[in-house]
Amino acid sequence: MRKLLALIVVVVVVASGAIVWEYSNRREKPQRPALWGLTDPPAADNLTWSGKGVQVAEESIGNAARFYGEFETELLDLGYSMLMGNWSNVSCQWSVWDNPIFNRTYYIAYSGKRFLGIRGREEDVLRAAGSRWLCQNPSNASTLLTPSPQREAMALSLKLGALFSNKGIAVKNAEWRGPLPDWYLGKFSFRAEVGEGVDVLILVYTKEDQAEYAAYELRKADHSLRILRSYGLRYHALIVLNGSPGDVERAVAILQNFENLGGPPRAKG
């Protein structure tokens, strides 16, 4: 199972750079995505949480299995990745999910009609789940290697950095100095020494409408930004470039040549 999950990580990372093209320069305002700005899944609002720091919700739910599935889907859509879990028993399942951008961890489990949720910081959640677990004690489980938006942002930055390096252009980690949308699921930035320098920002989302809305917010803040797009199996990434027009054009020409890393010819946008 762990080998399979590791393979999934590789597939997602490789696919993330398969296609890069210019993001459409739409002028009309896109609809704000349903999950935009959220830290917690909407399903969590249907539970009664108690406690400070680490919060616990334990309730009887008619169809706990279906509710559990909805909860998992929303966690995925909000960029949470599974740390551990067990899904081999259809009558009793549990999983632990983490989002480092939100500094938030969830333990969710169901057995029959019982549903248990624990949320807070990772160490607090695991400690609480170790004494209030359903199905299996998390302390006896192995951590899983699964994709996450932040890992995707870092992996994509390595691929883009390699494209610059292949052209003899130095790359270094650098803080992004341009505008940022008020919500994202993964972020990484670096500077490519193209001419006077080009700042590159990578933002990762789980939904296309999230990426589209972020691109609109960025362009609204600074019309001079160039925005490319990369789509993988699970994630949508924006590649944002900031610098002088000539330097940015040179950088775009390099980044759109993904054939150098084994991807297909670039698509026209």
Side-chain angles (χ1 to χ4, degrees), residues 49-62:
W49 299 88
S50 61
K52 295 182 179 179
V54 61
Q55 294 183 305
V56 178
E58 187 167 9
E59 300 182 22
S60 176
I61 299 176

Side-chain angles (χ1 to χ4, degrees), residues 2-186:
R2 296 195 64 179
K3 290 183 178 179
L4 174 60
L5 289 167
L7 177 61
I8 292 173
V9 174
V10 172
V11 169
V12 171
V13 168
V14 170
S16 67
I19 301 176
V20 171
W21 69 92
E22 189 81 13
Y23 204 90
S24 59
N25 190 17
R26 60 182 298 172
R27 297 185 180 277
E28 70 274 16
K29 182 177 181 179
Q31 185 175 356
R32 184 183 176 94
L35 296 177
W36 186 270
L38 298 184
T39 300
D40 300 301
D45 295 337
N46 296 322
L47 301 172
T48 301
W49 299 88
S50 61
K52 295 182 179 179
V54 61
Q55 294 183 305
V56 178
E58 187 167 9
E59 300 182 22
S60 176
I61 299 176
N63 195 332
R66 177 181 297 176
F67 181 74
Y68 179 89
E70 293 171 355
F71 213 120
E72 277 192 318
T73 298
E74 291 178 359
L75 286 168
L76 282 169
D77 289 343
L78 285 173
Y80 284 81
S81 57
M82 185 186 291
L83 296 182
M84 56 186 70
N86 173 33
W87 50 92
S88 60
N89 186 342
V90 296
S91 63
C92 190
Q93 295 184 19
W94 68 276
S95 51
V96 177
W97 301 77
D98 181 62
N99 188 312
I101 294 290
F102 301 156
N103 192 26
R104 192 75 143 169
T105 298
Y106 268 91
Y107 166 91
I108 57 174
Y110 77 88
S111 177
K113 293 184 178 181
R114 294 175 62 200
F115 184 89
L116 173 62
I118 305 174
R119 67 184 181 187
R121 295 189 306 174
E122 181 180 343
E123 59 270 24
D124 296 331
V125 168
L126 291 178
R127 188 181 305 112
S131 60
R132 305 191 62 162
W133 52 272
L134 296 179
C135 311
Q136 179 189 10
N137 189 334
S139 63
N140 298 326
S142 300
T143 301
L144 302 173
L145 180 62
T146 57
S148 71
Q150 188 59 24
R151 289 196 187 104
E152 184 76 353
M154 295 173 67
L156 184 53
S157 72
L158 291 175
K159 295 193 76 172
L160 301 183
L163 287 173
F164 286 118
S165 296
N166 289 343
K167 296 294 184 179
I169 297 171
V171 174
K172 63 180 180 181
N173 290 345
E175 290 295 323
W176 173 254
R177 295 174 291 182
L180 272 173
D182 60 7
W183 191 77
Y184 50 82
L185 300 177

